[in-house]
Amino acid sequence: MVKQTIQIFCRVKPTTKTTAVYSVDSEEQTGASLEFVVPKDLADGFVNNKRESYKFRFQKVFDHAVKQDDIFETIAKPVADSVLAGYNGTVFAYGQTGSGKTFTITGGAEHYSDRGIIPRTLSYLYQRFSQDSSMVYTTHISYLEIYNEVGYDLLDARHEASRLEDLPKVVIMEDPEQNIHLRNLSLQQSANEEEALNLLFLGDTNRMIAETPMNQASTRSHCIFTVHLCGREPGSATLRRSKLHLVDLAGSERVGKTGVGGQLLTEAKYINLSLHYLEQVIIALSEKNRSHIPYRNSMMTSVLRDSLGGNCMTTMIATVSVDKRNLDESISTCRFAQRVALIKNEALLNEELDPALLIARLKREIQSLKEELSMVTGEQRDDRLTGEEIQKLEELVKAFLDDPDPEVTLLLGPDMRKIHYCFSLLKVMIREKLAGGTGQGDGRVSPAAAVWEDTQDSLSPADLTKLKEMLTQRDNEISILVNMLKKEKKRAQDAAAQLANITNSHSLASQNALRLSATPPMEERSTDSISAGRGGRATQWKRGPQLSMGKQEAFDIFRRDHEDRLTIEDNKALLKQRLAEARTLGEQVNEARNRVNELKKQLEMRRMQRAAHGVMGSYTEVEEDAAEENLRKQMEEEKRTYKSTFGCLKALRTEIEHLQLLLERAKVKLQKDFQEWWSQEASSLQVSESEATGRCQTGRPCQNLLSSSGTPGFGTPSVSSTVRDFPAPRDSSTPSAPDPRSIVPKSVPASTAVSAWLDKPQEEREMAFTASSELRALSTTELSSSSIPLTGDQQTDADILAFIRARQSLLNRTDEKESSHASLTWLCYAE
Ligand code: ADP
Ligand code: MG
């Protein structure tokens, strides 16, 4: 127990105004004094007996030039130290508004050097925690504001408090032992200085926001910032709980001076009331033989009961302003301090026993005593350990290993069987750990574990965990890539099989073969399947069975002649190449991993052999070390390979993903273009057909009918507009390129020759295009590439040419007559 009167200090606030006459005397051995000299005032017209000099004694007086760090060192640090030792401590600032209470307790808002007692104390406490490894501390913080006899929790983070009333109200409770409890006051744990400072900031912000000019809470309220400490020596059952209150009291000015009515007066009265009660408590405490102390008269005195005349080391800072006009208040502040200085406190070490820890300790003691006893009586056992006993021992060893306390002992008693069993258990555990027993019971060692083991000497546990995770992730990546490749292969095979079926059964087999040779099926499928495999991110390309045979054919040609074709092809080729590379890399990674494992086994063998030789005393250290070193180096090398290959694989994956995205986008665009073109084509055909039908019925020439023909009598220039959006073939010089316009079968008149052409397989039709150059030469008029192609069959082609020639001469003859009813009617109804 420490008996001590409340320590009083005085701080003079710097001022630019005219100061009263004052002097600070710090030379005195027992402390310091502050003296105010008041000139005799005769202006009142009568001889007064006012004293000239007022002298007050303090532990120390800090004149205006003293900085915050000095204040902390002298006033707050000793209190913080006693709190660390397990005593309660309080520092409170008392003085009129504007005298520097908040500046002293919390600090100025602008400069770092203006930090007040609270932040400096927090910093100091956490610094001490980290220095003192013999104690484990936990810290909680509370911040209470008392305004008009109501308490508010300033650390309430839930509320965006715009008024003080928005904050949770704190209620005082007293238990049967007359201990004070504050309900609704949150105790926030703060693990470090930063968290504690954040809490201070939160509280001050709440305090600031809640304040309005009409309600200047900061000058009329008391603020109590409390650090709750709990310290414990590791392994000890004794807890030390202590509290440090840092108190910024309301302004101590008198009501008379406030001189305002209404709300403000009420507030002022309250403040003075509560400070008045504080004064009463202090007077009561300073008087000998007073049994009743009126703590309960106000909330503030109730909360600070321990700090005033109780179990606490308390320090008061009287803040004074030495401006002439504040002289009265300064003197009354000092007077108050003189009374406070008389109060004796009795600070107790707040030690308590943690029942749970105590029980554990006592149990250990009993066990130890029992063992001692059996040792003395020599009672030894030689039967085998029961299953139950073995299980118990295993639990004991586990608890022993898990306990962070370095002084924990494994109490087994004088039973050699148990001692032996625990030793062998420990040996097994250590060996398991050395062999990479990271919880994998099956004995297989993952590559991650391999790396982990080998690097554990040089890396920190955090690095190891990271590396381990990375490797597991990489392993997954490889298997995904390898799986993907396998699937591709299968799909390609499936496609080939399907293709073979089609070839056998379908009349268009040769045509398909032609088309597929231009676009290898595997390539095609692989991109499709990738887009499916990627979670269906892209729209699937609707093709194949969904398109009619004619449309499919049109699409194939459309695609082949599309302007993006080359880019798509390039990307496909690149993707294929990259996938192959990825497969190779995946294999390489696996190989590297296997080699690392192999080397590891060899290394282990070496070590075991060396240990065996060591026992027999027959090994040459230098030799063995060189061999081991060599293995180690090889392993390092392989690991580097593994890592770099992995890096490549990852980079490759990014590229593959990008390529896949590009392809998906191109596919979607191609399909969209085709659909647009197709529907445009279809609608314009409908128009031309209905037009043609209409004209034929009215007897007018239906010239539009033969849309595919470039032959004058067979078509008109307007027809070509129906296909104007068709992408131009990339290489128009290739005469064998089939003209897409020729694949609109319905628009072609069913002349015998033409329908014969249509009936022929694509292959033959394509060959007919070569023959069309022949037609060009033969024809009297120039035939465009879109003219009716020949069949390739000599007889049929001769018929066609004969027909065209005959038709031409007929047209020439009937030219001027405007109508050639016979042929036109034939054309109209031919279908
Ligand atoms: P109180 O809390 O007692 O009403 P404040 O701490 O708010 O007074 O101080 C009033 C003003 O004086 C503030 O602007 C503060 O920064 C300034 N101040 C007070 N004490 C000092 C000091 N020792 N050094 C510099 N400025 C001070
Ligand atoms: Mg203040």
Side-chain angles (χ1 to χ4, degrees), residues 11-15 63-68 71 93-110 114 207 218-219 248-253 319-320:
R11 186 182 200 184
V12 177
K13 186 196 144 180
T15 180
D63 210 347
H64 59 86
V66 176
K67 296 292 172 217
Q68 297 282 60
I71 299 282
Y94 181 97
Q96 72 176 116
T97 297
S99 61
K101 295 183 299 296
T102 306
F103 186 86
T104 301
I105 297 293
T106 310
E110 276 164 40
D114 283 347
R207 190 182 177 188
S218 71
T219 72
D248 184 356
L249 289 175
S252 61
E253 54 275 6
T319 55
V320 297

Side-chain angles (χ1 to χ4, degrees), residues 180-209:
I180 294 290
H181 301 275
L182 296 168
R183 208 177 66 193
N184 268 354
L185 182 69
S186 59
L187 289 191
Q188 314 259 6
Q189 186 163 7
S190 65
N192 50 47
E193 188 186 340
E194 196 193 346
E195 282 179 23
L197 288 176
N198 280 341
L199 289 169
L200 172 65
F201 177 78
L202 171 70
D204 282 340
T205 311
N206 273 339
R207 190 182 177 188
M208 187 193 71
I209 292 169

Side-chain angles (χ1 to χ4, degrees), residues 645-670:
T645 320
F646 232 142
C648 296
L649 194 61
K650 205 179 168 198
L652 204 58
R653 207 178 83 138
T654 319
E655 191 179 341
I656 287 174
E657 279 185 355
H658 185 77
L659 280 172
Q660 285 168 339
L661 276 175
L662 284 180
L663 278 169
E664 276 161 16
R665 211 171 49 199
K667 269 156 61 175
V668 172
K669 181 173 180 285
L670 183 66

